[in-house]
Amino acid sequence: MKFNYKVALICFAPYVPIIALYLLVHVYISNTIIAILAATGIFSVLYVFFHYRYFKPFFKRHPELDPQHFEFNTVANVVFAINTIILMVLVIFDFFAKNPVGYLLIFGLYNATISGFKTYRGQTT
């Protein structure tokens, strides 16, 4: 049971700018749904640019850090089940009712912890 913090950070990294964009857009747009859609749209355009400019060359040089080259193991499945229950409890009891940043943060941590416990399967062609 080894936690790969580098892969976890790589999987959590996209959530940081989308949360920052949401907070920035929400200053100008008071409607929460429109603000999150605007932040997601802006993030998507920027992500496509960064993906082809920086991420693809980086993952070609470092395939051991590419999240696509990891697969579930027993620990990752258990963490997935526990995190799913926690996420469902948070949604059912409406812990972050007025602020979607909490949901984005929790889902980012959910994704990062599961990805951190996955095992490297090697590069697929």
Side-chain angles (χ1 to χ4, degrees), residues 39-55:
T40 305
I42 294 168
F43 174 77
S44 298
V45 170
L46 291 173
Y47 190 81
V48 167
F49 170 73
F50 279 105
H51 175 73
Y52 286 108
R53 181 78 173 128
Y54 299 108
F55 300 155

Side-chain angles (χ1 to χ4, degrees), residues 2 10 13 26 28 40 58 61 70 75-76 81 84 93 104 112-113 118 121-122:
K2 182 181 173 200
I10 287 172
H26 195 56
Y28 298 107
T40 305
F58 176 78
R61 284 179 292 173
F70 286 82
V75 176
T84 302
F93 291 117
L104 288 172
T113 55
K118 288 182 179 179
R121 69 167 179 237

